[in-house]
Amino acid sequence: MPIPKLAQGFEKAGSIARQRYKMAEKITPRETDYSQWYIDIVLNAKLADYSPVKGSMVIRPRGYAIWERIRDEFDRRFKETGHSNAYFPLLIPMSFLQKEAEHVEGFAPELAVVTHGGGEELEEPYCIRPTSETIIWSMYKNWIQSWRDLPLLINQWANVLRWEKRTRLFLRTSEFLWQEGHTAHETEAEAVEETLKMLEVYRDVVERYLCIPVIPGVKSETEKFAGAVRTYTIEAMVQDKKALQAGTSHFLGQNFAKAFDVKYQTREGTLDYVWATSWGVSTRLVGAVIMTHSDDKGLVLPPAIAPEEVVIVPIYKNESKAAVMEYAGKIFSQLKDLGLRVVLDDDDSSSPGWKFAEWEMRGTPVRLEIGPRDMQNGKAVMVRRDNGEKTVIDAAQAGEKVKETLAFIQTSLYEKAKAFRMANTKPVANREELLAFFGAEGMGTADAQGGFAEALWCGSAECEAELKAQTKATLRCMPLDRQENISGTCALCGAPAKHRAIFARNY
RNA sequence: CGGGACGUAGCCUAGGGGCUAAGGCGUCUGCUUUGGGAGCAGAAGAUCGGAGGUUCAAAUCCUCUCGUCCCGACCA
């Protein structure tokens, strides 16, 4: 009897220690368990919750508010570049998927299929869209006759469903929200230009708005979108040094035009297939933001997407309450008038210390602490969420100071993330270095840490597969700006190199 | 889909065949408090994930099932 009890206690020790820590701190430290830390942040900051439906999540108001800010910025940029929003149906006839061979092969394992409707079996089953190329191109066939109908630039905001066996809040769920742009062009050059233009929009918004540095690049044949000629990506590195694909833009060539017979009359009067692109970003970006910036105290948000930029926490005793609240109220109005998103936490039932911890958990970029002492001196205490720095500021300039600080935070989050990525990106020359870098079995050094390995590559899928089998690292992308002066040999097989590529383990 | 861990009140856990399922946090009421997760007093809150079975007796044992997390396989 004592033996099994001991054994059981021993086995459970790890998880109990973790849970003890959690009770005290709520958030598991990153060092202890990075996955658990991420889950703790999402749940405790009330961004999302598990749903009764397997593989699906509920996006809670706070998580959705962040997504709305991301979505609105992208939407603005899409419209600025000439795109219009539309909406296509959720259900797609199975036969549509089958028209593009590579496309159906790629998505078949992830499809959910509707076989019954109105209590009767359907003649042709529908699948729930995993992406909308097929249904959109079935319509484009009717809408495009002449070069005068081109370019056709449409975007849709929608949910999609891909049956996933292993899910992770925001990063990979069966159902998720995204945007998918689908465009049709007269020429190959114009379609390629569009593909790259949207990749650049993605890069700009993700770097400047979400403060996540990314590497724009091209996917290998192995990793490209099913049905694309070429897939471009922006790749980010999160805090455990894994790669996270933050957005993709595909040059589809004439693949879908041919599959759906979409021809147009050219300026010369001949008939030709149109050239296509598609591009998307999803609620995964919310996960990317969390993983990039947050710390052991909770969420850290770039000011641009924070539901509230500033929180004011008043501190008072009963006799000073009225005066402090009035003083805090004035500062609140001052900030509000400057257009800042500000909340005044006047909840009477919790202590200031509690509120500090709570707003840090929620990720609010700036906190103003306002108590009797500050009131006496016409001051306020400003605290930065990203680095914990406290500054005493003049109440009269509170608005300007906060604005300035928010701008600092926005740039310093980006700089910090970029420095981290650079510190964890290494050039590797050969197989031994690659294996050592990823700490492959038998080859690992004590301090092997992973990250981005930049290596020359011959272009063969065999080399990719071999590295993946040995280290789980995959070819994330071939950086667009690092392809000149390729001379040397493939780090894996030693054949003449054709590309410079980033290899990493990924989400 | 394989291996492992877990599922007891809103949250975290105790109890591993036997009387009314125990505690902490949170919630509610009142008083007192408030510059980094306050104090006292009282109260509410659980068909022990679900279904079957074994037993005089099941939160506890057995079978199945559902779900979550971790590790793999698969995968944008």
Side-chain angles (χ1 to χ4, degrees):
Chain A
M1 197 55 168
I3 292 165
K5 241 188 173 167
L6 242 177
Q8 192 187 22
F10 208 74
E11 274 171 29
K12 286 166 73 179
S15 80
I16 286 172
R18 181 160 72 232
Q19 277 149 0
R20 289 251 165 81
Y21 210 115
K22 209 164 131 188
M23 278 169 71
E25 299 286 337
K26 281 195 167 172
I27 309 278
T28 306
R30 282 162 292 186
E31 290 242 332
T32 309
D33 184 339
Y34 189 80
S35 292
Q36 193 59 47
W37 165 80
Y38 175 75
I39 293 161
D40 289 346
I41 300 260
V42 172
L43 297 180
N44 283 306
K46 297 186 167 63
L47 302 182
D49 206 349
Y50 293 108
S51 83
V53 180
K54 187 174 178 146
S56 306
M57 65 187 268
V58 176
I59 303 176
R60 301 182 67 173
R62 188 167 182 78
Y64 202 80
I66 293 168
W67 172 241
E68 280 179 314
R69 294 196 63 82
I70 296 174
R71 186 196 62 191
D72 290 350
E73 178 63 12
F74 276 114
D75 199 63
R76 194 176 68 74
R77 302 290 294 264
F78 297 156
K79 285 171 181 158
E80 218 172 69
T81 44
H83 303 84
S84 305
N85 285 333
Y87 185 79
F88 294 83
L90 173 74
L91 298 175
I92 299 177
M94 273 302 285
S95 58
F96 282 24
L97 269 289
Q98 283 150 4
K99 291 193 178 189
E100 217 285 337
E102 210 178 288
H103 192 67
V104 67
E105 197 192 322
F107 282 106
E110 303 179 80
L111 289 182
V113 182
V114 177
T115 56
H116 288 72
E120 287 173 23
E121 186 165 353
L122 301 174
E123 264 184 46
E124 185 191 346
Y126 294 121
C127 70
I128 298 173
R129 63 180 164 220
T131 177
S132 304
E133 273 78 3
T134 56
I135 192 136
I136 285 176
W137 280 87
S138 77
M139 298 309 295
Y140 281 7
K141 176 182 166 60
N142 303 327
W143 298 347
I144 298 170
Q145 269 93 43
S146 135
W147 64 272
R148 293 178 189 279
D149 299 321
L150 299 172
L152 184 55
L153 307 173
I154 292 181
N155 175 65
Q156 90 163 338
W157 290 95
N159 57 342
V160 287
L161 189 84
R162 299 176 183 178
W163 215 257
E164 293 289 349
K165 293 185 171 164
R166 192 165 167 186
T167 56
R168 205 184 277 271
L169 295 166
F170 285 112
L171 296 181
R172 173 169 278 117
T173 48
S174 284
E175 182 186 358
F176 57 92
L177 304 182
W178 78 344
Q179 127 316 285
E180 43 181 327
H182 296 273
T183 68
H185 306 265
E186 283 183 74
T187 65
E188 175 172 14
E190 199 185 306
V192 170
E193 188 193 329
E194 165 81 3
T195 312
L196 289 168
K197 182 200 284 175
M198 298 324 287
L199 187 77
E200 174 57 17
V201 167
Y202 286 169
R203 187 202 62 74
D204 193 58
V205 173
V206 170
E207 292 199 329
R208 294 222 322 239
Y209 209 68
L210 309 186
C211 309
I212 302 174
V214 291
I215 299 179
V218 184
K219 286 289 185 189
S220 66
E221 280 298 301
T222 315
E223 300 281 336
K224 75 169 193 194
F225 175 74
V229 170
R230 197 156 57 249
T231 290
Y232 296 89
T233 177
I234 48 172
E235 293 285 325
M237 180 193 284
V238 294
Q239 290 183 61
D240 65 349
K241 302 171 194 172
K242 284 192 186 173
L244 183 68
Q245 178 176 297
T248 48
S249 184
H250 314 290
F251 169 59
L252 302 174
Q254 295 175 312
N255 291 353
F256 285 90
K258 284 176 180 163
F260 287 88
D261 193 35
V262 186
K263 289 181 194 154
Y264 74 104
Q265 191 169 51
T266 65
R267 292 166 199 255
E268 292 76 37
T270 59
L271 274 185
D272 196 3
Y273 291 111
V274 302
W275 298 85
T277 82
S278 70
W279 25 274
V281 294
S282 73
T283 38
R284 169 178 256 203
L285 284 175
V286 178
V289 167
I290 299 165
M291 282 202 161
T292 303
H293 304 303
S294 301
D295 60 26
D296 291 348
K297 289 198 282 189
L299 190 62
V300 174
L301 288 173
I305 57 163
E308 66 292 307
E309 294 163 296
V310 203
V311 58
I312 298 176
V313 179
I315 299 158
Y316 46 76
K317 297 187 193 303
N318 274 344
E319 63 271 20
S320 57
K321 180 175 176 182
V324 169
M325 284 309 291
E326 198 199 330
Y327 180 71
K330 276 185 192 156
I331 296 177
F332 174 82
S333 306
Q334 186 199 142
L335 301 195
K336 192 115 190 140
D337 290 345
L338 275 173
L340 290 165
R341 297 188 299 282
V342 53
V343 292
L344 174 60
D345 187 351
D346 59 358
D347 178 6
D348 223 7
S349 62
S350 51
S351 68
W354 176 276
K355 290 175 183 174
F356 297 165
E358 195 62 23
W359 287 103
E360 279 165 3
M361 172 102 71
R362 294 182 198 170
T364 304
V366 168
R367 175 175 75 238
L368 289 183
E369 306 176 3
I370 298 175
R373 279 209 304 270
D374 306 304
M375 184 174 65
Q376 228 84 84
N377 307 324
K379 306 280 188 183
V381 177
M382 179 177 69
V383 187
R384 277 173 65 164
R385 174 64 184 89
D386 63 327
N387 60 10
E389 198 178 284
K390 289 194 181 189
T391 328
V392 178
I393 60 172
D394 286 330
Q397 273 101 53
E400 291 308 325
K401 278 285 175 196
V402 166
K403 254 193 153 159
E404 193 182 294
T405 302
L406 288 168
F408 276 140
I409 294 174
Q410 186 79 19
T411 52
S412 88
L413 283 177
Y414 174 81
E415 295 302 336
K416 193 175 163 193
K418 186 152 191 183
F420 179 82
R421 188 192 75 196
M422 277 161 50
N424 291 290
T425 302
K426 301 260 158 56
V428 292
N430 53 46
R431 176 186 304 257
E432 285 66 37
E433 285 182 24
L434 261 178
L435 296 183
F437 185 79
F438 291 114
E441 229 178 341
M443 301 293 295
T445 57
D447 58 348
Q449 25 186 303
F452 284 3
E454 200 177 69
L456 293 177
W457 176 55
C458 64
S460 94
E462 285 75 34
C463 285
E464 281 182 274
E466 193 196 325
L467 183 70
K468 187 179 178 184
Q470 292 186 42
T471 66
K472 296 185 177 62
T474 53
L475 196 161
R476 301 321 304 152
C477 72
M478 295 167 265
L480 291 180
D481 61 357
R482 306 286 328 267
Q483 300 305 315
E484 294 101 45
N485 306 319
I486 306 279
S487 71
T489 56
C490 174
L492 282 147
C493 69
K498 290 186 186 142
H499 312 279
R500 186 171 279 116
I502 299 287
F503 293 90
R505 298 202 180 99
N506 71 298
Y507 276 99

